Amino acid sequence: MRRRDLYQSLLAAPAMSALSGQVYAQRTTALPPLKITGFKVIATSGGRNYRWIFLKLLTSEPGLYGIGTAGNHFQTHAVITALEKHLGPWLIGKEADRIEDLWQSAHYRTYWRNGPVNNNALAAMDVALWDIKGKRAGMPVYDLLGGKARDAVPCYDHAAGRDMESAVESVRKSIENGFRHIRVQYGEGGYGGGGFIPAGQGNRPEGGYQGLAFDEEMYVDTIPKVFDYVRSKVGFGPKLLHDVHSHLSGINAVELSRRLQPYQLFFLEDVLAPELIQWYRQIRQAATTPQAVGEVFSHPYEYLPLITERLIDYVRCRVSAIGGITQARKVATLCELFGVKTAFQEGGENDPVNQLAAYHVDISSTAFGIQEENGFPPLVHEMLPGTAQIRKGYLYGSGKPGLGVDLNEQVAAKYPLGEIKDGGAYRTDRTLEGAVVRP
Ligand code: MG
């Protein structure tokens, strides 16, 4: 700085100091009470076949509102009704600043609590309240949670192949796109692929089920061979993951974990369904393959023993399925104390608001492990300006106050929910003899 500029800046200093004092005085004066004055439930297809549900909470401060997420792909209208007829009317007149009190009272308001529908409604309220509080404070939500504990949020990518070569090709593509963590799925039929007998083939009961048939032993035999091949081609640099999607029963889950051990997975996901979590004790004794579990959990009793007994390595609850940011950060704190990590489930049909709800907990938590990748087309960025972006394997929020995302209602209105066939049910896999396989 030249001497003359320095002199002028010193002359200007008292005025700046007076202004800073004024700003400080404003910031150290308690804010006036803030009431919830209204709500809107906004459902949209997102321009694809999404079934996204957003809750917009309006407040007594003109122009100040929050956006929450209640997406539930399989019970969409149950959640919309829960918001429109039950939670929404109850919220009118409540104090928007009392997030913890509202979470507790909203949780017990239904008397029968937990479960995905109740938790989705609760999460919509909770995430919107954190958005409001952040906007009011002029801070991103992560700053309210203690500030950044890392510079950005690493994500794992999704690779898949119908055969060994295409699996390797898909992994290489993820590496080229900058991902260090890559989930590898295999074969035909989606989750459970590698264990499906093609439609109409195999020895089937007369007049029975003819679709793709899942075979546990075939799956346990196939998947380690896939990882053996992929490792032989890409080496041990990339961190590889695999999602069983709860398709196995107890001892086969133990056996798959044992057989995958030589391939050093970053984690093996949902090797068992929530109904079978007691088997994680046996898995722990048999193998060091890291375990991630929990995307269908909606009750604390499901994840509490797994965390406190250190039976898993990553908890994979979906933020909107366990009640929002308030509950997710408690889970993260619990994980931190027990040396377990978080890997909130954010892929598939998840929306950008839920992705950001997870992002704010992720980036401010010492217990963070990894986040699931989810990229959105330009239309979604137009509908939800401030949607997080993934660049070279890292997720970046907008850095704006609150969640950092807005909802353009005019754009959303152009893409209403589509027709929901068969009630919107999740698909049912079956065995050769036609028995249901847990998803
Ligand atoms: Mg999964």
Side-chain angles (χ1 to χ4, degrees), residues 156 158 183 185 191 242-246 267 269-270 294-296 316 345 372:
Y156 68 81
H158 300 111
R183 191 189 75 173
Q185 300 300 119
Y191 292 116
H242 181 71
D243 187 356
V244 180
H245 230 262
S246 308
F267 66 54
E269 179 183 344
D270 287 332
E295 77 178 54
V296 299
R316 263 189 71 67
Q345 193 259 350
E372 186 169 10

Side-chain angles (χ1 to χ4, degrees), residues 164 184 186 193-195 216-232 236 240 242 244 248 252-265 268 289:
M164 298 278 197
V184 187
Y186 182 74
E216 287 199 37
E217 288 73 24
M218 180 179 165
Y219 183 81
V220 170
D221 194 44
T222 304
I223 297 303
K225 289 174 185 163
V226 175
F227 278 87
D228 185 65
Y229 189 76
V230 172
R231 280 297 191 207
S232 77
F236 281 75
L240 301 182
H242 181 71
V244 180
L248 295 180
N252 278 332
V254 178
E255 180 61 7
L256 181 66
S257 302
R258 196 183 67 78
R259 287 199 203 176
L260 283 172
Q261 189 164 314
Y263 310 112
Q264 293 178 20
L265 265 59
L268 180 63
T289 296

